[in-house]
Amino acid sequence: MLFRGIVAMEIVGMMYLFNAMFGLGILALPKAFADAGWLTSSVILALAMVMSYITVTFLIEVMASANARVVWNRKSDSYKENEIKLKENILVPEKRREEPTHQKTFYSELLSKCLCCCYLPDDPKPSVFDINELLSLTDLTKMYFNTVGDLLSRITLMLGIYGSLAMFLTMAPFSLAELFCNIPRCTGESNYTVIYLDENRCWGPISKSNAYRIFLAGFVFLIGPFVFFSIQKNKFIQILATTISFSVFCIIFVVAFHLLATGHGKGNPSLANFGALPNLFGACSLAAVSHATLPQIIPPIQNKAYLGFGIAIVFIVVGTLYALLSLTIMFTFENEKIQTIVLLNFLDCSVAPGVFFIYFLGLYTTFKVSAIFPLNAVTLRDNLWAMFSPFQCSHIWIVERLIFPILTILPPIVIAMVTENIEVIVGVTGSYAATIIQFVIPPLLVFFSRRDTHEKFGPSVHIKFASPFQHNLWIIIVIIFAVFALITVTILYITHQS
């Protein structure tokens, strides 16, 4: 029964979530593991994944409560309109027109009970807490935060997503230029150039810098138009990206296990190195950031009966892949030779079984960016629109369908065209913003949403899709974890600068 329920759940929706979580951060995780030691790394990764899962359940509960609040306001407005029409059409004595306070309270409680048709997650009946309304993260912050908190949350979200989009638009053309300007030959030596040199030539008179911009223009031309459509329009890209992700990491696992089985494994990882803890913690905390895109992923899923179980499975799969890949790489290559982007260790004919696999692995970054970029771009577009939705001009078709998508994609394109070295910008905005989006905003949202829901529907209300972590102690634990994360990221940044 459970298996049939999971199969019935929209698998494409879980692929969206998988691609949002299983990002490009996995490529840098093995290096962080090697520096910090296998035991310390395993514990910190498990802790980060558990905390991320808790905050995802928080955010899903907030989405359910927000849907109930939208339905509440809609029904309440309809009730008031009908009451006004009734009073206008029927002559009622003046004394009867004014309802006593206890009668108004009775109507409010009656409306609450009528609306609050809450069922168990596997109940097919509709519920006011069904997640059907497409609400962005800024809609949720506007709904439950005060003006200052809402503004700070919006700024954090915008900086984080803009930084991510700029990073994506840099990584894809950079990897393509490096791959196709350095034609790999099976000489036993790596042909991959880690340092970007503008004076290097690519094809005849075309420099590598110009080749980078050509690939950037091609990527924007092919992937950029998805920002003008809904998130469901790129589901085939999500399916393709998920298939390629599993294929790439299957190849990496097979090659690494083959090297270990044939006695060519040279790794001798340490047990623990607390000096590298900030770098490891920063990498692990960024490993499962899907919170900004989650409000766009969940509502289109038609069958949400086993939503919580499906998300738990995705977290287990992603966490297991993270740990297996990082530990395997640690024991396969010498620690000091593990590249910051682990795929560089496999772009070598002495490691990869042939040129085809070198190209396949080298193109993975582009494939992955092609899947992640539309998710983040559509999320930013929707949040930009939500920010300016109180202004009447934002509802004009040309503004909503053209101006906001252009404002979404244009700044990252400009940054990517001007420079391909944006590590400091992405490091500051991405690391801090990602930590706040992942570990600060969801627990605060769930705290205020629970209080609001109990006021409207009563303290005994059963919230559909409620987080299993109901005690306020979990909120405190996550906030403490967030403070620790921000401190470690700061230490990492200061150390890197010095």
Side-chain angles (χ1 to χ4, degrees):
M1 181 66 182
L2 180 63
F3 177 76
R4 283 188 298 174
I6 297 172
V7 172
M9 185 173 61
E10 191 171 328
I11 303 299
V12 176
M14 293 300 101
M15 288 186 178
Y16 273 82
L17 181 61
F18 176 84
N19 284 322
M21 289 179 56
F22 200 70
L24 296 172
I26 178 62
L27 302 179
L29 199 58
K31 177 63 175 176
F33 261 60
D35 293 337
W38 66 268
L39 180 60
T40 306
S41 302
S42 301
V43 172
I44 295 298
L45 176 62
L47 184 61
M49 294 297 294
V50 169
M51 290 297 171
S52 183
Y53 173 72
I54 292 174
T55 55
V56 164
T57 63
F58 283 167
L59 193 56
I60 291 176
E61 179 180 333
V62 172
M63 293 166 61
S65 299
N67 274 256
R69 180 168 172 173
V70 169
V71 175
W72 165 277
N73 293 335
R74 192 177 296 156
K75 295 290 185 181
S76 179
D77 292 341
S78 176
Y79 169 78
K80 291 178 181 178
E81 289 178 4
N82 292 334
E83 186 180 32
I84 292 173
K85 291 179 180 178
L86 184 64
K87 288 182 177 180
E88 289 177 350
N89 296 328
I90 300 177
L91 294 176
V92 182
E94 195 67 28
K95 292 183 179 180
R96 293 184 59 190
R97 288 190 181 185
E98 296 182 0
E99 294 179 342
T101 304
H102 71 274
Q103 190 172 355
K104 292 181 179 180
T105 304
F106 171 75
Y107 285 148
S108 178
E109 293 178 355
L110 181 62
L111 177 62
S112 173
K113 291 178 180 179
C114 291
L115 285 175
C116 191
C117 46
C118 309
Y119 302 96
L120 295 176
D122 56 350
D123 196 323
K125 296 180 181 179
S127 168
V128 69
F129 289 99
D130 281 331
I131 305 175
N132 297 320
E133 302 288 338
L134 194 61
L135 302 172
S136 63
L137 188 59
T138 52
D139 290 328
L140 301 179
T141 58
K142 182 180 180 181
M143 194 176 294
Y144 295 112
F145 287 169
N146 59 25
T147 304
V148 176
D150 180 38
L151 179 61
L152 293 176
S153 300
R154 290 170 186 266
I155 293 174
T156 302
L157 182 65
M158 302 305 172
L159 289 176
I161 301 182
Y162 268 127
S164 298
L165 293 180
M167 180 183 67
F168 296 152
L169 285 180
T170 301
M171 293 183 69
F174 180 83
S175 63
L176 290 173
E178 289 292 337
L179 182 64
F180 288 100
C181 291
N182 297 295
I183 305 299
R185 298 179 180 84
C186 286
T187 60
E189 297 179 357
S190 177
N191 289 277
Y192 198 94
T193 304
V194 178
I195 301 176
Y196 193 93
L197 299 175
D198 284 341
E199 62 267 25
N200 283 358
R201 294 294 170 182
C202 187
W203 310 302
I206 300 177
S207 65
K208 190 176 289 185
S209 178
N210 290 331
Y212 163 83
R213 290 175 174 84
I214 291 173
F215 284 121
L216 174 61
F219 182 84
V220 171
F221 178 77
L222 293 176
I223 304 298
F226 284 105
V227 74
F228 293 88
F229 306 106
S230 67
I231 202 169
Q232 296 98 323
K233 300 297 182 181
N234 58 76
K235 66 179 180 179
F236 295 108
I237 292 182
Q238 303 303 317
I239 296 173
L240 178 63
T242 303
T243 304
I244 292 175
S245 295
F246 275 109
S247 301
V248 164
F249 288 101
C250 282
I251 293 173
I252 291 178
F253 282 131
V254 169
V255 171
F257 282 131
H258 178 263
L259 292 175
L260 290 173
T262 56
H264 291 87
K266 300 178 181 179
N268 186 23
S270 61
L271 186 67
N273 177 19
F274 295 102
L277 187 61
N279 190 11
L280 170 69
F281 192 86
C284 291
S285 63
L286 294 172
V289 179
S290 61
H291 301 64
T293 58
L294 198 66
Q296 277 72 36
I297 295 174
I298 301 299
I301 299 177
Q302 296 179 357
N303 187 353
K304 304 182 185 71
Y306 294 93
L307 178 63
F309 188 81
I311 290 177
I313 292 296
V314 171
F315 265 87
I316 293 173
V317 171
V318 171
T320 302
L321 287 175
Y322 282 163
L324 278 178
L325 176 67
S326 301
L327 293 174
T328 302
I329 297 300
M330 289 174 66
F331 286 94
T332 303
F333 300 99
E334 297 179 28
N335 287 2
E336 59 273 10
K337 292 186 178 180
I338 297 178
Q339 300 289 338
T340 304
I341 304 299
V342 71
L343 286 178
L344 302 183
N345 289 98
F346 293 85
L347 302 186
D348 189 334
C349 287
S350 64
V351 177
V355 175
F356 169 78
F357 292 99
I358 291 178
Y359 274 106
F360 187 72
L361 295 176
L363 289 172
Y364 171 72
T365 302
T366 303
F367 287 135
K368 192 62 182 177
V369 168
S370 300
I372 300 175
F373 184 86
L375 290 175
N376 286 267
V378 170
T379 299
L380 180 57
R381 181 204 67 192
D382 291 344
N383 282 281
L384 282 173
W385 182 86
M387 178 181 291
F388 294 97
S389 59
F391 299 97
Q392 191 64 30
C393 62
S394 65
H395 298 272
I396 301 174
W397 185 90
I398 192 171
V399 175
E400 183 178 354
R401 297 295 183 180
L402 293 179
I403 302 300
F404 282 114
I406 291 174
L407 289 176
T408 298
I409 198 174
L410 188 59
I413 292 176
V414 172
I415 295 175
M417 286 292 292
V418 171
T419 177
E420 60 276 355
N421 185 14
I422 59 169
E423 287 126 8
V424 175
I425 299 175
V426 174
V428 174
T429 60
S431 298
Y432 283 95
T435 302
I436 294 173
I437 292 171
Q438 187 176 9
F439 300 124
V440 176
I441 293 179
L444 293 179
L445 276 174
V446 80
F447 175 78
F448 290 111
S449 70
R450 285 172 181 172
R451 188 169 66 179
D452 180 80
T453 303
H454 291 161
E455 289 177 357
K456 282 184 169 57
F457 299 102
S460 60
V461 64
H462 174 78
I463 302 175
K464 192 176 183 181
F465 305 115
S467 169
F469 309 96
Q470 287 293 309
H471 201 282
N472 286 337
L473 180 62
W474 291 108
I475 297 176
I476 298 174
I477 291 174
V478 174
I479 294 294
I480 294 174
F481 185 83
V483 173
F484 181 65
L486 292 173
I487 293 174
T488 54
V489 169
T490 303
I491 294 174
L492 173 62
Y493 178 69
I494 294 175
T495 306
H496 178 72
Q497 288 297 100
S498 60

